[in-house]
Amino acid sequence: MSSAPARAHAPRPELVSVERPMLGGRVGIHLRAATPDHLEVARAASRTLDRMETWAARLTRFDPQSELSRLNASPTTTVAIGPTLGAVLDWARAAEAATDGVVDAALLDQRLAAEAGAAALLPAHRRWSLLRGPRRTILERGSGVRFDLDGIAKGWLADRAACLLEGLAAVAIDADGDVAVRLDSGESLPLGVADPANPGMDLAIIQLRNDTPVRQDYGVATSGTTIHRWGTGQAARHHLIDPRTGGPASTDLVQATIVATSARLAEAFAKTAVIVGLDAAPRALRRPGILGGLLLTDDRRSVTLPGTERFVA
Amino acid sequence: MPRPAPARPGHGIPTRSRPDPTSHRLAIGFGGLAAASALGAAFLAPATTASPVPVAAVTAPDSGLVQRDIQYIQLLPGQTPPANAAVAAQAPAPTPRVVVVTTRQSGTKP
């Protein structure tokens, strides 16, 4: 029997949270530091939110003066773009490849047609490419190619913002539901999975842990068809465009929550899962970096993907 | 793999009512065609399993139709799903929010 005295464990510091309206919703930064200086931690969160606002302003299609809006308005097929937009489009290209084309950043016209209730526009040749140099990025695109970055940008913003915050035990960047998490060794963080049918209620709790000796990154994202939707009954449309048809995806999933090694990866595959539907989702989600997922069907079944049990409380 | 025990009260994680243990649960298994055949044989053979719910017709190779290698297997209470199978169950009753950070569809009102 050990004779070592029992060690008193200091209570774990609470999360310091700072939130701000952004990205058409709410962005929150939640930090846990070893130091009890909550004010300095809150200042660090506010500075990071300032940076996120600067990046987001370049990427939104709702401001005609944003870099994205000016790009979409320009008829030029060869365009020099700034580093932020270049980095996000670089990720968009990688996401398209990783999801076998299900995630497609060049569907702005299809998205607008869905919002307006117009007939689906079958995507034509949406060719575009990036040439990234040390000082600038050149976008080459086919005529009429226009971009809607939406969730692609949010996942990227969450991951990028997490990189700004060093020396903290736990970091969670919530970019309107796409969450990037960084945990020091021994740290943990619970996340709720919002119930789309019951505001303020959660379907499940995802418990992220770092049982390794080094820092560990996670991403958790949710996509679905119940928030951004228009019309009713047979004329109901939602915002998740199936690139194969150009119209809102015909799917039996109302929501997908994915746990991955980054927020941008989680976002891309949450969207993919909903678009491809329940039957195809498990195979589509067997990809490097995808750690688990919870799918919610239109008849209120919850489908837990293999490997998710370790995350669900 | 057995499901983890529910969290104990007081750990900051809400306990939620578990699905009715007598209700049937569907395991959705995926794999290659050969694996799907083997899987189907393995689960059809034991006398204790319920009859599988047929969801995909096997078509003639030259029929021009696509054979879907998907099987839905109905589990009896207490049975565990095969490895690498997605598990479907009636969604649990939602619980009031007790966590600080949530993942949600973009644009969800707080």
Side-chain angles (χ1 to χ4, degrees), chain A residues 92-105 107 126 241-244 272 275-276 287:
Chain A
R93 175 92 310 155
E96 183 177 346
T99 61
D100 296 332
V102 176
V103 169
D104 189 333
L107 293 176
R126 300 182 312 284
I241 304 299
D242 186 336
R244 298 165 294 187
T272 296
I275 290 173
V276 302
R287 292 288 193 275

Short mmCIF file of all heavy atoms in Angstrom, two decimals, chain A residues 92-105 107 126 241-244 272 275-276 287:
data_model
loop_
_atom_site.label_atom_id
_atom_site.label_comp_id
_atom_site.label_asym_id
_atom_site.label_seq_id
_atom_site.Cartn_x
_atom_site.Cartn_y
_atom_site.Cartn_z
N ALA A 92 -10.75 25.18 -50.62
CA ALA A 92 -11.94 24.76 -51.36
C ALA A 92 -11.56 23.74 -52.43
O ALA A 92 -12.28 22.76 -52.66
CB ALA A 92 -12.62 25.97 -52.00
N ARG A 93 -10.45 23.97 -53.07
CA ARG A 93 -9.98 23.03 -54.08
C ARG A 93 -9.66 21.68 -53.44
O ARG A 93 -10.02 20.62 -53.96
CB ARG A 93 -8.74 23.61 -54.76
CG ARG A 93 -8.06 22.68 -55.76
CD ARG A 93 -8.48 22.79 -57.18
NE ARG A 93 -9.86 22.77 -57.50
CZ ARG A 93 -10.36 23.32 -58.60
NH1 ARG A 93 -9.56 23.96 -59.43
NH2 ARG A 93 -11.63 23.25 -58.87
N ALA A 94 -9.00 21.71 -52.27
CA ALA A 94 -8.65 20.47 -51.58
C ALA A 94 -9.91 19.76 -51.08
O ALA A 94 -10.02 18.53 -51.13
CB ALA A 94 -7.72 20.78 -50.40
N ALA A 95 -10.89 20.53 -50.61
CA ALA A 95 -12.14 19.94 -50.13
C ALA A 95 -12.90 19.27 -51.27
O ALA A 95 -13.51 18.20 -51.11
CB ALA A 95 -13.01 21.01 -49.46
N GLU A 96 -12.86 19.89 -52.43
CA GLU A 96 -13.54 19.30 -53.59
C GLU A 96 -12.90 17.95 -53.92
O GLU A 96 -13.61 16.97 -54.19
CB GLU A 96 -13.43 20.25 -54.78
CG GLU A 96 -14.15 19.76 -56.03
CD GLU A 96 -14.08 20.77 -57.16
OE1 GLU A 96 -13.71 21.94 -56.92
OE2 GLU A 96 -14.39 20.39 -58.31
N ALA A 97 -11.59 17.89 -53.87
CA ALA A 97 -10.91 16.63 -54.16
C ALA A 97 -11.19 15.59 -53.08
O ALA A 97 -11.46 14.43 -53.36
CB ALA A 97 -9.41 16.86 -54.30
N ALA A 98 -11.16 16.02 -51.82
CA ALA A 98 -11.34 15.08 -50.71
C ALA A 98 -12.74 14.47 -50.69
O ALA A 98 -12.93 13.34 -50.26
CB ALA A 98 -11.06 15.77 -49.38
N THR A 99 -13.74 15.25 -51.16
CA THR A 99 -15.13 14.78 -51.12
C THR A 99 -15.60 14.28 -52.47
O THR A 99 -16.79 14.14 -52.71
CB THR A 99 -16.05 15.92 -50.66
OG1 THR A 99 -15.97 17.01 -51.58
CG2 THR A 99 -15.69 16.39 -49.25
N ASP A 100 -14.65 14.02 -53.37
CA ASP A 100 -15.00 13.53 -54.70
C ASP A 100 -15.99 14.46 -55.41
O ASP A 100 -16.90 14.00 -56.09
CB ASP A 100 -15.58 12.10 -54.63
CG ASP A 100 -14.56 11.09 -54.12
OD1 ASP A 100 -13.35 11.31 -54.33
OD2 ASP A 100 -14.97 10.08 -53.51
N GLY A 101 -15.79 15.75 -55.20
CA GLY A 101 -16.59 16.72 -55.93
C GLY A 101 -17.91 17.11 -55.30
O GLY A 101 -18.61 17.97 -55.84
N VAL A 102 -18.27 16.52 -54.16
CA VAL A 102 -19.55 16.87 -53.53
C VAL A 102 -19.50 18.31 -53.01
O VAL A 102 -20.46 19.08 -53.14
CB VAL A 102 -19.90 15.90 -52.40
CG1 VAL A 102 -21.18 16.32 -51.70
CG2 VAL A 102 -20.03 14.48 -52.95
N VAL A 103 -18.39 18.68 -52.40
CA VAL A 103 -18.21 20.07 -51.97
C VAL A 103 -17.66 20.86 -53.16
O VAL A 103 -16.62 20.52 -53.71
CB VAL A 103 -17.24 20.15 -50.77
CG1 VAL A 103 -16.84 21.59 -50.50
CG2 VAL A 103 -17.89 19.54 -49.53
N ASP A 104 -18.40 21.88 -53.54
CA ASP A 104 -18.05 22.65 -54.74
C ASP A 104 -18.27 24.12 -54.45
O ASP A 104 -19.40 24.54 -54.19
CB ASP A 104 -18.93 22.18 -55.90
CG ASP A 104 -18.50 22.77 -57.24
OD1 ASP A 104 -17.91 23.88 -57.24
OD2 ASP A 104 -18.75 22.14 -58.27
N ALA A 105 -17.20 24.89 -54.46
CA ALA A 105 -17.29 26.30 -54.10
C ALA A 105 -17.84 27.16 -55.23
O ALA A 105 -18.14 28.33 -55.03
CB ALA A 105 -15.91 26.82 -53.70
N LEU A 107 -20.69 27.21 -56.94
CA LEU A 107 -22.13 26.98 -57.17
C LEU A 107 -22.96 28.18 -56.73
O LEU A 107 -24.10 28.02 -56.28
CB LEU A 107 -22.57 25.73 -56.42
CG LEU A 107 -22.00 24.40 -56.92
CD1 LEU A 107 -22.45 23.25 -56.02
CD2 LEU A 107 -22.38 24.14 -58.37
N ARG A 126 -17.39 24.05 -64.63
CA ARG A 126 -16.99 25.05 -63.64
C ARG A 126 -15.50 24.95 -63.38
O ARG A 126 -15.05 24.72 -62.28
CB ARG A 126 -17.77 24.85 -62.34
CG ARG A 126 -19.26 24.97 -62.54
CD ARG A 126 -20.00 24.81 -61.25
NE ARG A 126 -19.57 23.64 -60.48
CZ ARG A 126 -19.90 22.39 -60.76
NH1 ARG A 126 -20.64 22.13 -61.82
NH2 ARG A 126 -19.46 21.38 -60.02
N ILE A 241 -26.59 22.42 -52.11
CA ILE A 241 -26.73 22.13 -53.53
C ILE A 241 -25.99 20.85 -53.89
O ILE A 241 -24.81 20.66 -53.54
CB ILE A 241 -26.18 23.29 -54.38
CG1 ILE A 241 -26.90 24.60 -54.00
CG2 ILE A 241 -26.34 23.00 -55.86
CD1 ILE A 241 -28.39 24.60 -54.22
N ASP A 242 -26.68 19.97 -54.58
CA ASP A 242 -26.07 18.75 -55.11
C ASP A 242 -25.41 19.11 -56.43
O ASP A 242 -26.09 19.50 -57.38
CB ASP A 242 -27.14 17.68 -55.32
CG ASP A 242 -26.54 16.34 -55.72
OD1 ASP A 242 -25.42 16.32 -56.28
OD2 ASP A 242 -27.21 15.32 -55.50
N PRO A 243 -24.07 19.01 -56.52
CA PRO A 243 -23.41 19.43 -57.76
C PRO A 243 -23.79 18.56 -58.96
O PRO A 243 -23.58 18.98 -60.10
CB PRO A 243 -21.91 19.28 -57.42
CG PRO A 243 -21.86 18.34 -56.27
CD PRO A 243 -23.12 18.55 -55.50
N ARG A 244 -24.35 17.39 -58.71
CA ARG A 244 -24.74 16.53 -59.82
C ARG A 244 -26.02 17.02 -60.51
O ARG A 244 -26.27 16.70 -61.67
CB ARG A 244 -24.94 15.10 -59.32
CG ARG A 244 -23.67 14.47 -58.76
CD ARG A 244 -23.95 13.21 -57.96
NE ARG A 244 -24.72 13.49 -56.75
CZ ARG A 244 -25.00 12.59 -55.82
NH1 ARG A 244 -24.56 11.35 -55.96
NH2 ARG A 244 -25.70 12.91 -54.75
N THR A 272 -21.12 17.02 -47.00
CA THR A 272 -21.13 15.85 -47.89
C THR A 272 -22.12 14.81 -47.43
O THR A 272 -22.88 14.25 -48.24
CB THR A 272 -19.72 15.25 -47.97
OG1 THR A 272 -18.83 16.20 -48.55
CG2 THR A 272 -19.71 13.97 -48.78
N ILE A 275 -25.68 15.80 -48.25
CA ILE A 275 -25.95 15.81 -49.69
C ILE A 275 -26.07 14.39 -50.24
O ILE A 275 -26.97 14.09 -51.04
CB ILE A 275 -24.86 16.60 -50.43
CG1 ILE A 275 -25.01 18.10 -50.12
CG2 ILE A 275 -24.93 16.37 -51.94
CD1 ILE A 275 -23.89 18.97 -50.67
N VAL A 276 -25.21 13.49 -49.82
CA VAL A 276 -25.25 12.14 -50.41
C VAL A 276 -26.31 11.26 -49.76
O VAL A 276 -26.70 10.25 -50.34
CB VAL A 276 -23.87 11.45 -50.33
CG1 VAL A 276 -22.81 12.27 -51.05
CG2 VAL A 276 -23.46 11.15 -48.90
N ARG A 287 -12.73 8.45 -44.57
CA ARG A 287 -11.65 9.24 -45.14
C ARG A 287 -10.65 9.56 -44.05
O ARG A 287 -11.03 9.65 -42.86
CB ARG A 287 -12.17 10.56 -45.72
CG ARG A 287 -13.04 10.42 -46.95
CD ARG A 287 -12.23 10.01 -48.17
NE ARG A 287 -12.99 10.18 -49.40
CZ ARG A 287 -13.84 9.28 -49.88
NH1 ARG A 287 -14.04 8.16 -49.25
NH2 ARG A 287 -14.48 9.52 -51.01
#
